Amino acid sequence: MEGEFIVKKAKMIIDKAYKIAEIDERVYGSFIEHLGRAVYGGLYEPGHPEADEQGFRKDVIDLVQQLNVPIVRYPGGNMVSAYNWEDGIGPKEDRPKRLELAWRVIETNEVGTNEFVDWAKKAGSEVMMAINLGTRGIDAARNIIEYTNHPSGTYWSDLRVKHGYKEPHKIKTWCLGNEMDGPWQVGQKTAYEYGRLASEAGKAMRLVDPDIELVSCGSSNTDMPTFPDWEAETLTHTYDVVDYISLHQYFGNRDDDSQNFIANGMELERFISTVTSVADYIKAKKRSKKTLMLSFDEWNVWYHSNDADKEIEPWTVAPPQLEDHYNFEDALLVGSILITFLKHADRVKMACMAQLVNVIAPIMTENMGAAWKQTIYYPYMHASVYGRGVSLKAIVDSPKFDTKDYTDVEYLDTAVVYNEEEEELTVFALNRHIEDDLHVTINVSGFEDYEIKEHIVLEHDDLKAVNTATHESVTPHRNGNAVLQDGFIEAKLSKASWHVVRLRASKTTN
């Protein structure tokens, strides 16, 4: 009948036996580059009321700890491709100021390798270190790992001891360059040039420390003319040396098409599938027993700030750059991205939201002022805190819709995490439709003694709503409507909303 309202309905089945893989906690990593106010004015601001004895902002550390970030990529990014790591060690008064070519600013080198390792420990994170394969190569690569990881008794390791760090840092994960296919990169390489250099640099690094993990540099994005040939060519050289290949992806809403924007998880699915296929092709070609994993070491929403940055005066110190102010629909897409990673937990083992503070970041600060949570902070925090365990494959029957770029987009975007040790089950769910509510029925009959612990909801009437230092308009609440009865969860997901339904075994206390 014309004008009749039809309730959209979706169904799910969750079973303990439908395992995808154990989730590597490093999929909830982040990224700090010497860019804009990420370091200076973000992590580090001597003289700030919240600064500790090293100049690190304790209010920022507290917000990072709440996110439970397991690993942080450092120091770049584009910046690393012309970075001399030696500039950032030793007495600060002796460190040189340099022209930083990637972002055309002055790098003071007040914060370097040792300071960042200290900061990471305070924040409860490990370090994913990137090396310069743009202007430098094998020699610098072997020297930095000798400095950071070798115990003592050699030039570089003894220099670290002299700088006040008797014990080695034991940095485990290393990125072999950054976006080396990009014409914006200092020292851009062809696939062959990069593959050979990365292979030899990685080989030298493993001779110094055989226990490290290495990440081969993938395409800068899916729009690169060489994608995915770049992956095929470079992995031909690096496959036997590395453990991961990197993926980078940013999404924007320049056309102000919210429905299409929120559906971008479909593009992410294609990206992961393509890179996985290429890696497996090289595995077959080499007759290798090793399966290469994926490191999504740059991802986020990024488009709000691009035009404004063109007006920045060059050769200044830590000017504001890429300070996107995120809205509610950005948070929804971030939730969808995290769901996608969990659905591919068998191959996506690491991921770094780019970046962590001020620069396209979940955390914002004012110089000498407050720190606060952007909208995207919340789905990131929920996934990191509650998404530890085994990723389960949910059987989903959802209505679908089409957008400008995508067809058959499911209303219900969902991932399920089972933590057997804690006897907890978490359902992450996103209603991607911006106009229709969605009624969801979830069969959890295999979890007989479980009960709903809480139903967290992030929703807002305005897709463009933002948070500021003085007012957080977009925040989650714990008044969700999920009900469990006779082995079935019934829940209404309001239009364009993010949900976390947590179940726990009834015999479990707390």
Side-chain angles (χ1 to χ4, degrees):
M1 181 181 300
E2 185 176 352
E4 181 179 356
F5 178 74
I6 301 175
V7 177
K8 299 293 183 180
K9 296 182 179 180
K11 296 179 181 180
M12 291 176 57
I13 300 174
I14 300 173
D15 193 288
K16 297 175 185 177
Y18 301 164
K19 296 179 181 179
I20 298 173
E22 183 79 25
I23 297 164
D24 190 322
E25 67 173 13
R26 294 177 298 175
V27 77
Y28 306 119
S30 193
F31 177 29
I32 284 288
E33 182 174 357
H34 283 244
L35 162 59
R37 296 191 308 121
V39 176
Y40 307 116
L43 306 185
Y44 177 81
E45 193 174 4
H48 190 280
E50 289 284 337
D52 66 12
E53 72 284 353
Q54 286 185 283
F56 293 121
R57 288 184 56 157
K58 292 182 288 185
D59 54 346
V60 172
I61 290 174
D62 177 64
L63 291 175
V64 175
Q65 289 174 335
Q66 290 179 49
L67 287 171
N68 200 10
V69 181
I71 195 166
V72 182
R73 184 168 173 247
Y74 175 85
N78 295 346
M79 174 265 194
V80 79
S81 291
Y83 176 59
N84 298 330
W85 70 270
E86 303 92 335
D87 292 345
I89 60 174
K92 289 189 179 183
E93 60 271 19
D94 295 337
R95 297 181 188 178
K97 293 181 173 61
R98 299 284 192 190
L99 295 180
E100 199 287 288
L101 301 183
W103 306 105
R104 302 190 77 231
V105 297
I106 298 294
E107 172 55 54
T108 65
N109 286 302
E110 293 174 72
V111 173
T113 300
N114 293 321
E115 288 83 12
F116 190 76
V117 169
D118 287 341
W119 177 87
K121 289 178 180 178
K122 294 177 182 183
S125 296
E126 299 292 331
V127 177
M128 177 193 293
M129 185 70 76
I131 65 167
N132 177 358
L133 289 186
T135 61
R136 307 188 76 183
I138 300 168
D139 205 44
R142 69 165 182 155
N143 290 345
I144 186 174
I145 199 166
E146 181 182 320
Y147 181 87
T148 60
N149 287 18
H150 195 69
S152 62
T154 66
Y155 175 80
W156 289 109
S157 60
D158 285 346
L159 190 59
R160 183 198 68 246
V161 173
K162 182 180 178 181
H163 292 159
Y165 295 84
K166 181 179 179 180
E167 298 299 321
H169 296 318
K170 297 182 180 179
I171 297 172
K172 179 180 181 180
T173 309
W174 296 78
C175 297
L176 297 171
N178 174 75
E179 296 184 354
M180 298 311 302
D181 59 336
W184 56 86
Q185 208 69 221
V186 177
Q188 178 192 13
K189 303 284 190 293
T190 65
Y192 175 81
E193 290 170 339
Y194 170 76
R196 289 294 302 125
L197 177 59
S199 176
E200 292 303 313
K203 183 171 68 177
M205 293 169 74
R206 285 197 186 278
L207 288 172
V208 177
D209 185 349
D211 296 327
I212 59 174
E213 293 181 327
L214 295 174
V215 184
S216 187
C217 185
S219 296
S220 298
N221 56 69
T222 56
D223 292 330
M224 297 299 293
T226 54
F227 174 78
D229 291 337
W230 171 275
E231 279 74 8
E233 172 68 17
T234 59
L235 287 179
T236 297
H237 305 287
T238 65
Y239 195 93
D240 295 332
V241 177
V242 303
D243 306 281
Y244 306 88
I245 185 166
S246 71
L247 296 82
H248 291 184
Q249 184 70 65
Y250 297 97
F251 294 106
N253 188 15
R254 295 183 181 278
D255 299 331
D256 197 21
D257 184 341
S258 297
Q259 190 62 91
N260 191 69
F261 173 68
I262 295 170
N264 271 316
M266 301 280 283
E267 173 61 26
L268 196 63
E269 290 274 1
R270 285 200 288 259
F271 189 13
I272 292 171
S273 176
T274 300
V275 175
T276 298
S277 298
V278 174
D280 288 347
Y281 161 67
I282 300 300
K283 175 184 179 180
K285 184 178 177 181
K286 287 181 169 289
R287 296 170 172 80
S288 175
K289 295 181 179 180
K290 179 177 72 175
T291 298
L292 200 68
M293 297 300 167
L294 276 54
S295 175
F296 231 110
D297 54 36
E298 284 190 33
W299 69 270
N300 207 343
V301 173
W302 175 16
Y303 72 101
H304 296 283
S305 64
N306 292 50
D307 294 335
D309 279 359
K310 295 176 183 177
E311 303 173 3
I312 291 174
E313 182 180 353
W315 314 129
T316 56
V317 176
Q321 288 181 284
L322 308 186
E323 296 196 2
D324 281 41
H325 292 266
Y326 290 111
N327 58 35
F328 176 58
E329 67 184 10
D330 297 331
L332 296 177
L333 180 55
V334 163
S336 181
I337 292 170
L338 290 160
I339 283 172
T340 304
F341 292 159
L342 291 176
K343 289 191 293 187
H344 292 274
D346 57 331
R347 298 302 289 266
V348 179
K349 296 299 184 180
M350 297 190 292
C352 300
M353 175 186 271
Q355 295 188 18
L356 186 55
V357 185
N358 288 329
V359 176
I360 49 175
I363 299 169
M364 292 295 293
T365 72
E366 294 175 334
N367 288 347
M368 300 305 293
W372 74 94
K373 303 170 183 175
Q374 293 228 63
T375 62
I376 64 172
Y377 184 97
Y378 292 106
Y380 180 20
M381 177 181 69
H382 294 154
S384 179
V385 173
Y386 303 125
R388 310 290 177 110
V390 174
S391 178
L392 299 182
K393 181 176 177 59
I395 307 302
V396 178
D397 181 10
S398 171
K400 300 174 182 178
F401 60 93
D402 296 340
T403 71
K404 177 173 67 71
D405 293 327
Y406 308 108
T407 57
D408 292 334
V409 181
E410 292 186 335
Y411 276 63
L412 179 61
D413 195 12
T414 185
V416 181
V417 177
Y418 175 48
N419 190 320
E420 185 174 9
E421 182 178 348
E422 298 294 331
E423 295 186 285
E424 290 191 355
L425 180 71
T426 301
V427 179
F428 299 102
L430 175 69
N431 179 1
R432 290 195 275 206
H433 204 280
I434 65 173
E435 294 181 353
D436 297 338
D437 295 343
L438 181 67
H439 185 91
V440 179
T441 301
I442 309 174
N443 184 336
V444 290
S445 56
F447 297 85
E448 296 180 6
D449 299 323
Y450 279 61
E451 59 188 14
I452 293 178
K453 178 177 175 59
E454 62 179 346
H455 177 183
I456 304 169
V457 183
L458 189 66
E459 57 188 351
H460 203 284
D461 292 335
D462 182 5
L463 289 171
K464 308 299 183 181
V466 300
N467 292 346
T468 67
T470 56
H471 178 61
E472 288 195 8
S473 173
V474 180
T475 58
H477 65 77
R478 285 176 159 77
N479 301 318
N481 54 57
V483 176
L484 173 60
Q485 186 174 2
D486 298 328
F488 289 86
I489 297 173
E490 303 286 343
K492 176 186 173 183
L493 313 186
S494 57
K495 62 182 182 180
S497 57
W498 162 262
H499 301 259
V500 184
V501 181
R502 300 179 60 211
L503 288 76
R504 178 175 287 182
S506 57
K507 62 183 179 182
T508 304
T509 59
N510 298 329

